[in-house]
Amino acid sequence: MTVRDGIRVRVYADLTGATSLAPCPVLRYNPPSTWRRVDMAQIIRIQDVAQHVGEQVVLQGWLYNRTDKGKLQFLQVRDGTGFAQCVVFQKDVSPEVFKVVQELTQESSMVVTGTVRQDDRAPGIPGGYEIGVADLEVIQLAQDYPIQLKEHGIEFLMDHRHLWVRSQLQWAVLRVRATVVRAIRDWLDQHGFVNMDTPILTPAACEGTSTLFETDYFGESAYLAQSGQLYNEANIYAFGRVYCFGPTFRAEKSKTRRHLTEFWMVEPEATFCDLDQLMEIGEQFISYIVQTCLRERGQELALLGRDTSHLERVVPPFYRVSYDQALEMLVEIREQTDDEELKALLQIEWGDDFGSPHETELTKRFDKPVFVYGYPTRAKAFYMEPWPGRPEISKSTDLLAPEGYGEIIGGSERISDPELLLQRLKEWNLPREAFEWYIDLRQYGSVPHSGFGLGVERTVTWICGLDHLRETIAFPRMLKRVYP
RNA sequence: UCCUCGGUAGCUCAAUCGGCAGAGCGGCCGGCUGUUAACCGGUUGGUUGUAGGUUCAAGUCCUACCCGAGGAGCCA
């Protein structure tokens, strides 16, 4: 961008770009030492704009969009807390300032001074208020911002994820995520769960199933954690109830809208807790998270076009369906469909775990989350407590989110009998040496205990009503994506 | 790993039977005092993913490869 007459006394010349004969140096950035002084008391955040009607205020932010009407300019300004319309009439500002405004580009940073007024025509978040601009100072005139306010392809947007997060919908989703994370911590903290951080570098697979990311650990192999559960089972004997909350890693080559290679999971674990009590904890927990989002992030959910009536129904009790019942439902669903492709996808026999198509079809038939419990032992992990009198099924449960969203929680009651645990390790062909400490936990005051893992991104995807979980984390890591 | 779809201007996409590679957006120039991804006029913009092949002629047909998306499996 070249500097035009009238714009500036305060410019920074980019000497590296000044080799041409052009008399116009490149306008780069106006350092803070050159900014005009403003009264700190006047600086407000857009989210608080309604409290300042009639006052002269200062906004510090970036230009989201501009509509040029000639002698009237509409600026959509964002400051991180919201989006506000700033209206500039030529007659209200100096000729110099108006010229600056006419040349403002998308994402230019600026300080705006003006008077807040209520106006139903004003768009924004929150809308209904606008700033009648008296003065405006540019901090940096942005050049050729690549993301337009129109549809783009996902590859392009992901390549520009560092800028895409500024867009309204992404901003809304990530604010919902932050609220989900806080609600998770609040509920657990208030219900006696002690936060314990579990290791990310681990010696081997916790469950011995998923593929792990291998890393060099001073000449030996270590693996990025796929779960903190086994460590939590140690911690509960010290603290009663604990949870770990952190990133978790799966090297599966999953290529779907439900998978990331790096995702965030919260894993509560509790002593003196059986499967029924675990499901009660789960439904209270999930309901709190959803209701907190409805209460605090209604604006963002509205922006996302989320039909919140689905979420309002998310209160205890949730449905509970046994694996056997669910299987019957699936067989019936399969018989009733004329869709040959769906018929093939829903093919299942007793003993198989449910795949994604099964979960999707099941949850379409429930208007709030449903616990499926009692999965076949052979479809689940080695540490799950067998069902009393029915060793072929386990005291396990998945919580399936409605509207086709599927599994957001996976949990179980854990084996507390040392003899049974040893037997299971043998059956699963797991090396006893690696699990000595874990076996130890069953030797010193073993009690019934249970826990589950909740996937943060899947939960946010469901609450926001998105069709892909990649937008629920600032910088997603996927099979084909580690940049930026 | 398997199946399906795709790759054309900075971005989003057209291009009929194989016959001059186009539009909108963005950028640039001009106009407009209530716009909501403003609108109107003008203008700028191309190694059609890569390498071969068929043909008078290839964005279009054939072969191989690269990259991406969706789905399966696996899972939260």
Side-chain angles (χ1 to χ4, degrees):
Chain A
M1 174 63 69
T2 53
V3 177
R4 290 179 181 73
D5 44 347
I7 286 199
R8 276 315 89 157
V9 232
R10 300 186 296 267
V11 295
Y12 243 21
D14 180 344
L15 296 177
T16 61
T19 51
S20 75
L21 298 175
C24 304
V26 177
L27 178 62
R28 284 322 232 187
Y29 176 62
N30 296 330
S33 60
T34 69
W35 300 359
R36 248 170 281 164
R37 291 192 181 281
V38 297
D39 181 355
M40 290 296 286
Q42 291 184 306
I43 297 173
I44 68 160
R45 294 181 298 178
I46 290 172
Q47 66 183 10
D48 303 324
V49 69
Q51 300 160 25
H52 297 277
V53 176
E55 297 174 22
Q56 174 155 304
V57 301
V58 173
L59 293 183
Q60 303 177 122
W62 298 265
L63 185 70
Y64 192 66
N65 195 19
R66 177 169 62 95
T67 301
D68 185 341
K69 289 279 296 174
K71 291 173 183 152
L72 168 60
Q73 304 275 326
F74 293 100
L75 311 180
Q76 308 305 329
V77 176
R78 54 174 199 86
D79 74 343
T81 73
F83 296 72
Q85 171 157 282
C86 298
V87 186
V88 190
F89 286 101
Q90 186 170 29
K91 65 176 172 51
D92 291 345
V93 296
S94 70
E96 293 75 22
V97 166
F98 196 73
K99 191 150 183 62
V100 167
V101 169
Q102 285 179 305
E103 293 174 350
L104 277 177
T105 53
Q106 197 183 355
E107 289 305 317
S108 289
S109 45
M110 65 180 88
V111 178
V112 186
T113 304
T115 305
V116 178
R117 59 177 174 248
Q118 196 163 6
D119 192 316
D120 292 338
R121 295 170 297 184
I125 309 169
Y129 301 90
E130 64 183 20
I131 313 289
V133 176
D135 194 12
L136 183 147
E137 183 179 22
V138 176
I139 307 303
Q140 186 193 40
L141 200 59
Q143 295 167 57
D144 302 323
Y145 186 72
I147 301 179
Q148 298 175 38
L149 298 177
K150 53 168 254 183
E151 287 188 17
H152 292 280
I154 191 64
E155 188 182 5
F156 175 82
L157 289 171
M158 277 299 172
D159 283 341
H160 295 85
R161 184 59 173 169
H162 53 297
L163 304 177
W164 190 24
V165 292
R166 303 181 187 194
S167 299
Q168 271 184 2
L169 296 185
Q170 301 307 305
W171 174 86
V173 170
L174 292 172
R175 278 165 63 94
V176 171
R177 178 196 172 97
T179 299
V180 166
V181 168
R182 185 165 46 74
I184 285 170
R185 291 193 180 282
D186 284 350
W187 192 89
L188 291 169
D189 290 343
Q190 287 162 16
H191 288 79
F193 288 83
V194 180
N195 181 211
M196 283 290 130
D197 298 316
T198 52
I200 287 175
L201 289 167
T202 60
C206 282
E207 305 181 19
T209 53
S210 297
T211 317
L212 303 177
F213 284 106
E214 188 172 358
T215 185
D216 176 74
Y217 195 75
F218 306 115
E220 294 188 10
S221 285
Y223 302 86
L224 299 185
Q226 61 152 342
S227 167
Q229 178 205 317
L230 270 55
Y231 294 101
N232 269 347
E233 286 187 65
N235 289 331
I236 47 170
Y237 282 96
F239 302 96
R241 290 178 159 194
V242 305
Y243 69 97
C244 62
F245 193 0
T248 185
F249 307 88
R250 304 274 167 95
E252 299 286 350
K253 293 197 170 179
S254 298
K255 206 172 143 43
T256 80
R257 67 181 80 179
R258 298 176 307 281
H259 291 86
L260 295 171
T261 53
E262 176 185 303
F263 64 98
W264 284 67
M265 182 161 70
V266 59
E267 295 174 276
E269 189 81 22
T271 50
F272 298 103
C273 178
D274 64 15
L275 187 66
D276 282 336
Q277 291 166 314
L278 185 71
M279 289 192 277
E280 276 172 37
I281 289 170
E283 68 192 356
Q284 296 288 342
F285 182 50
I286 294 295
S287 300
Y288 178 82
I289 294 166
V290 170
Q291 296 305 321
T292 300
C293 288
L294 284 173
R295 195 169 59 246
E296 300 181 10
R297 290 288 167 256
Q299 185 175 255
E300 284 78 2
L301 293 172
L303 187 67
L304 291 164
R306 183 66 165 118
D307 178 355
T308 51
S309 66
H310 291 102
L311 300 176
E312 282 155 15
R313 280 196 290 273
V314 181
V315 289
F318 293 171
Y319 298 105
R320 285 162 171 75
V321 174
S322 73
Y323 172 87
D324 293 343
Q325 293 170 317
L327 192 74
E328 275 177 37
M329 288 181 67
L330 285 167
V331 168
E332 199 172 313
I333 291 166
R334 185 163 178 271
E335 279 168 2
Q336 283 170 0
T337 183
D338 297 326
D339 184 343
E340 287 304 318
E341 201 180 328
L342 185 61
K343 241 187 200 0
L345 283 171
L346 292 180
Q347 168 67 40
I348 191 167
E349 287 177 18
W350 195 97
D352 296 339
D353 201 357
F354 295 152
S356 181
H358 306 108
E359 290 180 357
T360 303
E361 289 306 312
L362 273 179
T363 63
K364 281 181 186 169
R365 283 150 180 89
F366 293 93
D367 59 2
K368 58 175 158 175
V370 53
F371 284 107
V372 179
Y373 63 90
Y375 283 87
T377 305
R378 62 176 159 100
K380 292 288 179 181
F382 74 91
Y383 50 72
M384 294 185 180
E385 179 77 13
W387 201 272
R390 282 192 67 189
E392 74 278 14
I393 62 171
S394 59
K395 295 184 84 172
S396 52
T397 183
D398 284 353
L399 180 67
L400 309 182
E403 303 168 76
Y405 279 96
E407 183 175 355
I408 56 172
I409 277 180
S412 67
E413 188 172 327
R414 326 300 193 187
I415 290 173
S416 49
D417 174 14
E419 293 306 318
L420 180 59
L421 182 62
L422 284 171
Q423 185 190 323
R424 280 293 147 81
L425 286 171
K426 210 171 284 178
E427 289 167 8
W428 259 257
N429 275 323
L430 294 167
R432 177 174 173 155
E433 318 80 70
F435 291 92
E436 284 298 349
W437 68 269
Y438 187 67
I439 298 163
D440 244 11
L441 302 174
R442 275 72 183 172
Q443 310 282 9
Y444 306 106
S446 189
V447 298
H449 62 285
S450 305
F452 63 78
L454 170 74
V456 169
E457 288 77 14
R458 286 187 181 178
T459 303
V460 177
T461 304
W462 162 50
I463 291 174
C464 289
L466 305 178
D467 63 2
H468 201 303
L469 91 172
R470 65 190 157 208
E471 294 171 38
T472 64
I473 185 166
F475 293 95
R477 293 293 172 252
M478 293 173 289
L479 184 55
K480 298 289 184 180
R481 170 72 55 188
V482 288
Y483 175 92

